[in-house]
């Protein structure tokens, strides 16, 4: 399908199956009908010219599969319909031109690898429905300067690792777990306030945050694991609460 440039999915189609348009390198625009319910894994994988995805306001889409739009390197923006309940792992992996995306309030989890190396993504606001950011979700989003996490409870391994432009992140009081390497290599991050819901600073969590000058630890913290602040070369002082035992 190397010559295919545009697709308009008819209303008779409810499902786009795995790999349906895999590697259609000239495809630049796709219009979906309101009757489409599911887009399966790798459906538009490596459609390197795909720049525009159009969903109707009355969309019935429920799920976007794993690696659905992986390596769609020309895709600049997408507004995910409010009907969508799940976005699969790696769905927008390596979409290097993606600068804007709207996450609907129907989403509760940002899956593994979903925005890995989306190097043009500058900012993103997650709805209050999102409670979990899974591992490597925003890894290597080097243009990401700001992210809002209103109701997140869990940030998994490498979630924001190598987000080298991330200068500010406000952790909500709902966060109870920040896993290893979560902010590893965030070289523009200058300060961090840990909420009182956190008891353990996991290993390597701020490793290589070379601009970090200030960290505020609450009295709830009892454990700081190995290399948590290693290579934080600008961190001149940190006040450890008396609650820290390890």
């Amino acid at each position: 399908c190397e010559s295919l440039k545009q697709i308009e999915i008819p209303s008779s189609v409810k499902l786009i199956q795995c790999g349906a348009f895999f590697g259609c390198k000239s495809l630049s625009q796709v219009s979906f009908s309101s009757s489409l319910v599911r887009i399966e894994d790798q459906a538009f994988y490596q459609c390197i010219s795909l720049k525009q995805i159009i969903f109707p306001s009355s969309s019935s889409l429920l799920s976007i599969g794993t690696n659905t739009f992986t390596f769609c390197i020309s895709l600049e923006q997408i507004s995910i319909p409010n009907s969508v309940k799940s976005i699969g792992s790696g769905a927008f992996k390596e979409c290097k031109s993606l600068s804007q995306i709207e996450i609907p309030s129907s989403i509760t989890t940002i899956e593994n690898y979903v925005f890995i190396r989306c190097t043009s993504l500058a900012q993103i606001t997650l709805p209050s429905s999102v409670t979990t950011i899974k591992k490597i979700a925003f890894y290597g989003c080097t243009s990401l300067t700001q992210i809002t996490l209103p109701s997140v409870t869990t940030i998994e391994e490498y979630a924001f690792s190598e987000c080298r432009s991330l200068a500010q992140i406000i952790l909500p009081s709902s966060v109870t777990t920040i896993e290893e390497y979560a902010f590893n290599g965030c070289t523009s991050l200058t300060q961090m306030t840990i909420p009182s819901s956190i008891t353990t600073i996991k290993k390597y969590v701020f490793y290589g945050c070379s601009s970090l000058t200030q960290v505020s630890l609450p009295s709830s913290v009892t454990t700081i694991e190995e290399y948590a602040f290693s290579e934080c070369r600008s961190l001149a002082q940190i006040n450890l609460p008396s609650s820290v035992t390890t």
Side-chain angles (χ1 to χ4, degrees):
C1 62
E2 291 191 1
S3 299
L4 184 65
K5 294 184 178 180
Q6 292 188 5
I7 305 171
E8 185 171 341
I9 306 297
S11 59
S12 57
V13 174
K14 304 292 190 294
L15 166 69
I16 297 177
Q17 292 191 342
C18 296
F21 299 98
F22 188 114
C24 292
K25 296 181 179 180
S26 298
L27 184 63
S28 62
Q29 180 177 311
V30 179
S31 299
F32 297 107
S33 74
S34 59
S35 60
L36 184 67
V37 174
R38 193 163 80 247
I39 305 173
E40 291 193 340
D41 302 350
Q42 299 183 333
F44 295 93
Y45 188 102
Q46 214 170 40
C47 291
I48 59 174
S49 298
L50 185 59
K51 191 172 184 177
Q52 189 172 19
I53 298 171
I54 301 170
F55 292 103
S57 57
S58 57
S59 177
S60 301
L61 187 67
L62 294 177
S63 65
I64 295 172
T66 298
N67 295 326
T68 298
F69 297 102
T70 292
F71 293 117
C72 291
I73 59 174
S74 298
L75 185 63
E76 295 179 352
Q77 64 181 54
I78 184 170
S79 181
I80 297 171
N82 292 328
S83 56
V84 173
K85 305 296 183 186
S86 66
I87 301 171
S89 299
F92 298 97
K93 178 181 177 180
E94 302 270 3
C95 290
K96 294 183 182 297
S97 298
L98 186 65
S99 61
Q100 183 177 340
I101 187 163
E102 294 182 24
I103 306 292
S105 58
S106 50
I107 297 295
T108 60
T109 300
I110 304 298
E111 291 288 351
N112 304 328
Y113 310 96
V114 70
F115 296 110
I116 184 174
R117 297 193 188 95
C118 289
T119 53
S120 296
L121 191 62
Q123 66 179 58
I124 188 167
T125 299
L126 300 181
S128 58
S129 57
V130 172
T131 58
T132 302
I133 300 175
K134 290 202 170 183
K135 63 183 181 181
I136 319 181
F138 293 96
Y139 182 100
C141 291
T142 52
S143 296
L144 189 65
T145 59
Q146 184 178 340
I147 188 163
T148 303
L149 313 171
S151 302
V152 167
T153 61
T154 303
I155 300 173
E156 292 190 358
E157 297 95 327
Y158 296 95
F160 295 98
S161 185
E162 300 297 332
C163 290
R164 297 178 182 177
S165 299
L166 188 61
Q168 181 181 10
I169 186 164
I170 298 173
L171 299 176
S173 59
S174 57
V175 172
T176 57
T177 304
I178 304 173
E179 295 290 358
E180 301 160 7
Y181 295 93
F183 299 101
N184 165 56
C186 292
T187 54
S188 295
L189 194 63
T190 58
Q191 60 183 22
M192 177 63 71
T193 299
I194 306 297
S196 59
S197 49
I198 296 293
T199 59
T200 301
I201 306 298
K202 296 292 186 74
K203 62 184 180 182
Y204 294 97
V205 70
F206 296 109
Y207 183 92
C209 293
S210 55
S211 298
L212 192 63
T213 60
Q214 183 180 341
V215 177
S216 177
L217 298 177
S219 58
S220 58
V221 172
T222 59
T223 302
I224 299 175
E225 295 185 352
E226 57 263 43
Y227 302 103
F229 298 101
S230 183
E231 299 297 325
C232 293
R233 299 176 182 179
S234 301
L235 189 59
Q237 181 179 346
I238 187 169
N239 294 322
L240 299 179
S242 59
S243 55
V244 173
T245 58
T246 307

